[in-house]
């Protein structure tokens, strides 16, 4: 089956059209914004995810300013993604997740 390349909306690198992470910049939403819980496409105008009802605006753990759920805080630039502790997974996850959305590993906080 042929895989079509698309450009990452964050860095412009061509990646597979079905990729969930950009291999160049490691964004978890290479083709637009996605809910960090269910990976459904979301928009910054939405307050909650229509798929799982997760809040899409949170307080940054560093500067405490409101920011959209994305790779980095809009105010201070602090990264909001953590790497899954499961050695076999290693997927980047949103800092508020209690479990990895890829493998189910529990995060110790």
């Amino acid at each position: 089956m042929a895989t079509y390349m698309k450009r990452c909306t964050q860095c412009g690198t061509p990646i597979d059209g079905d990729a969930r992470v950009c291999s160049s910049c490691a964004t978890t939403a290479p083709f637009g914004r996605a809910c960090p819980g269910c990976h459904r496409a979301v928009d910054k105008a939405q307050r909650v995810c229509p798929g799982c009802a997760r809040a899409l605006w949170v307080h940054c753990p560093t500067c405490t300013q409101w920011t959209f759920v994305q790779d980095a805080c809009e105010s201070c630039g602090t990264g909001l993604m953590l790497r899954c502790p499961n050695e076999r997974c290693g997927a980047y996850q949103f800092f508020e997740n209690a479990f990895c959305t890829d493998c189910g590993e529990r995060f110790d906080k």
Side-chain angles (χ1 to χ4, degrees), residues 2-13:
T3 302
Y4 297 96
M5 303 296 274
K6 291 184 178 179
R7 291 201 176 273
C8 172
T9 57
Q10 305 296 319
C11 70
T13 301

Side-chain angles (χ1 to χ4, degrees), residues 21-58:
V21 176
C22 175
S23 57
S24 181
C25 69
T27 184
T28 55
F31 309 118
R33 293 181 172 89
C35 172
C38 69
H39 300 293
R40 183 177 179 154
V42 293
D43 187 82
K44 281 183 78 169
Q46 296 171 305
R47 295 188 63 159
V48 297
C49 174
C52 67
R54 179 189 191 114
L56 297 177
W57 287 87
V58 298

Side-chain angles (χ1 to χ4, degrees), residues 78-101:
T78 299
L80 300 176
M81 304 302 283
L82 303 173
R83 195 168 179 93
C84 175
N86 181 345
E87 295 173 3
R88 297 169 76 190
C89 176
Y92 285 96
Q93 302 290 315
F94 194 64
F95 79 97
E96 285 188 335
N97 289 3
F99 297 91
C100 175
T101 56

